[in-house]
Amino acid sequence: MVERFLQQTACRSQEDYRKNLHIRVPENFNFAYDVVDAYAEEQPDRKALLWTNDQGAEIQFTFADMKRETDRTASYFQRLGIGKGDVVMLILKRRYEFWFSILALHKLGAVVIPATHLLTKKDAVYRCNTAGIKAIVAAGERVIADHVAAAMPESPEGFLDFHAGIANAAPFVRPQRVNANDDIMMMYFTSGTTGEPKMVAHDFTYPLGHISTGCFWHNLHDGSLHLTIADTGWAKAAWGKLYGQWLAGANIFVYDHEKFTPADILHKIEQYRITSLCAPPTIYRFLIREDLSKYDLSSLEYCTTAGEALNGAVYDTFRQLTGVRLMEGFG
């Protein structure tokens, strides 16, 4: 897949990378159609998303599955009146419905705001008023639903059932003109270090920028099984759980859990033979406190970290225990 968008797919050095990394940007590029649906047409059985949770559930989605479900979701959203330029906020934690929804919204030319489940009523009101949010798709948990409902006192009582909606959706018909390259595709609200959070917009070419993330930083390839530890409400999810990884040909591993437990992560790496891991240094610090001799981590080929400074002792210990160097990224 990545060969379609790069003139040169391998770089021998940093200088080679700087001089010769040229991304071909198609006119009216749309990741959902030009990557996900292209995979579905050409390699329908190719593994796309391996979703698991802390209750023992497991679903391996192929790209044919992703096309079918995102088409149904897009059709359902259309019926609700969502279309090009409309703003929709997703509060979906690590649910697989996040991938259904974000790709469906791309297919409609809508604007996506991924958001953390930690938002309160005040946070939701601020985002709705600032961004003109038309709809919210949220995980069906009481605490999330209560904050959303409290933020919109004039909305109808109750919520629509997502799965009932997509189950009864009409066949999806692609809109005639979905997007131009410079249309806004996604917005994040900054952490608000000073003042209120600010909106940061990305256009429809944004996923192509993550070729560098998936291919050259995460070092992914066909057959990789990649785990990035991040909630979908954070920008790290776009970096590590979607665009660059599929462009590189990887299968994305998702562990949907309520409480972070280092031993559970190590068990998942061993159980599913995960080949690539990306997590903040704090996560690695917790992992090396476990008795790693109890786990077979030999499937790990490449590990990356970002988001905060990496302590040298964590790097040394992880390498000593696993034989894998942590590759640090920043930007």
Side-chain angles (χ1 to χ4, degrees):
M1 179 61 69
V2 74
E3 292 81 5
R4 302 178 186 188
F5 305 105
L6 288 185
Q7 294 181 19
Q8 177 177 313
T9 58
C11 298
R12 297 181 301 273
S13 65
Q14 181 73 11
E15 187 63 22
D16 185 18
Y17 172 86
R18 287 177 174 172
K19 285 184 177 180
N20 298 308
L21 182 75
H22 299 294
I23 298 176
R24 301 189 190 100
V25 182
E27 186 177 358
N28 304 327
F29 174 76
N30 186 297
F31 181 83
Y33 293 117
D34 298 329
V35 176
V36 177
D37 284 7
Y39 271 132
E41 180 178 353
E42 299 162 19
Q43 303 177 61
D45 295 330
R46 187 183 184 93
K47 295 176 179 178
L49 184 78
L50 177 52
W51 178 87
T52 68
N53 71 6
D54 52 8
Q55 303 301 310
E58 172 189 321
I59 306 174
Q60 173 67 71
F61 294 99
T62 65
F63 279 101
D65 295 329
M66 296 307 299
K67 173 173 172 50
R68 181 186 67 250
E69 298 302 333
T70 58
D71 278 354
R72 293 202 305 167
T73 306
S75 175
Y76 174 50
F77 286 167
Q78 277 183 319
R79 182 160 63 84
L80 297 179
I82 297 169
K84 177 177 170 58
D86 289 331
V87 183
V88 179
M89 186 158 68
L90 305 181
I91 311 175
L92 290 171
K93 304 178 78 172
R94 293 175 175 87
R95 307 289 193 265
Y96 58 77
E97 291 88 349
F98 171 81
W99 285 265
F100 292 1
S101 297
I102 193 170
L103 293 170
L105 292 168
H106 293 347
K107 288 184 172 184
L108 297 175
V111 181
V112 182
I113 297 181
T116 172
H117 63 283
L118 301 176
L119 296 185
T120 64
K121 170 191 172 182
K122 172 178 174 292
D123 300 321
V125 168
Y126 173 75
R127 283 159 176 74
C128 287
N129 291 340
T130 304
I133 290 171
K134 187 169 185 177
I136 296 175
V137 185
E141 297 180 7
R142 183 63 181 270
V143 65
I144 298 174
D146 284 350
H147 284 309
V148 171
M152 299 182 290
E154 296 179 5
S155 63
E157 288 188 13
F159 293 82
L160 299 174
D161 186 306
F162 177 91
H163 285 284
I166 65 173
N168 298 314
F172 175 62
V173 178
R174 177 176 176 169
Q176 283 193 331
R177 185 183 181 278
V178 180
N179 65 278
N181 281 345
D182 58 359
D183 287 340
I184 295 176
M185 179 192 78
M186 174 187 286
M187 289 192 297
Y188 280 100
F189 277 80
T190 66
S191 57
T193 305
T194 57
E196 294 286 359
K198 313 297 191 299
M199 289 184 292
V200 179
H202 298 292
D203 66 26
F204 274 84
T205 66
Y206 174 69
L208 293 174
H210 282 298
I211 288 174
S212 290
T213 310
C215 296
F216 298 110
W217 181 39
H218 287 158
N219 202 30
L220 300 173
H221 53 77
D222 283 354
S224 292
L225 181 59
H226 177 76
L227 168 60
T228 282
I229 300 177
D231 181 277
T232 61
W234 306 110
K236 178 63 178 167
W239 304 337
K241 303 167 89 81
L242 182 54
Y243 302 122
Q245 293 66 43
W246 279 345
L247 282 160
N251 186 14
I252 297 171
F253 183 85
V254 178
Y255 178 43
D256 184 3
H257 58 276
E258 292 302 315
K259 180 182 178 183
F260 171 73
T261 305
D264 289 347
I265 300 296
L266 294 167
H267 176 65
K268 293 297 179 185
I269 294 171
E270 176 182 51
Q271 179 183 3
Y272 290 97
R273 307 298 293 165
I274 290 169
T275 64
S276 175
L277 173 66
C278 187
T282 300
I283 297 293
Y284 286 107
R285 192 169 71 246
F286 283 121
L287 294 180
I288 62 175
R289 290 178 180 174
E290 299 294 312
D291 181 359
L292 298 190
S293 66
K294 294 180 179 179
Y295 305 92
D296 178 5
L297 306 180
S298 60
S299 61
L300 287 175
E301 299 171 355
Y302 210 75
C303 294
T304 47
T305 187
E308 58 195 56
L310 174 63
N311 184 289
V314 173
Y315 172 92
D316 292 338
T317 303
F318 189 81
R319 185 177 185 183
Q320 178 186 0
L321 294 173
T322 66
V324 178
R325 295 186 299 159
L326 292 178
M327 307 303 288
E328 188 174 17
F330 65 96

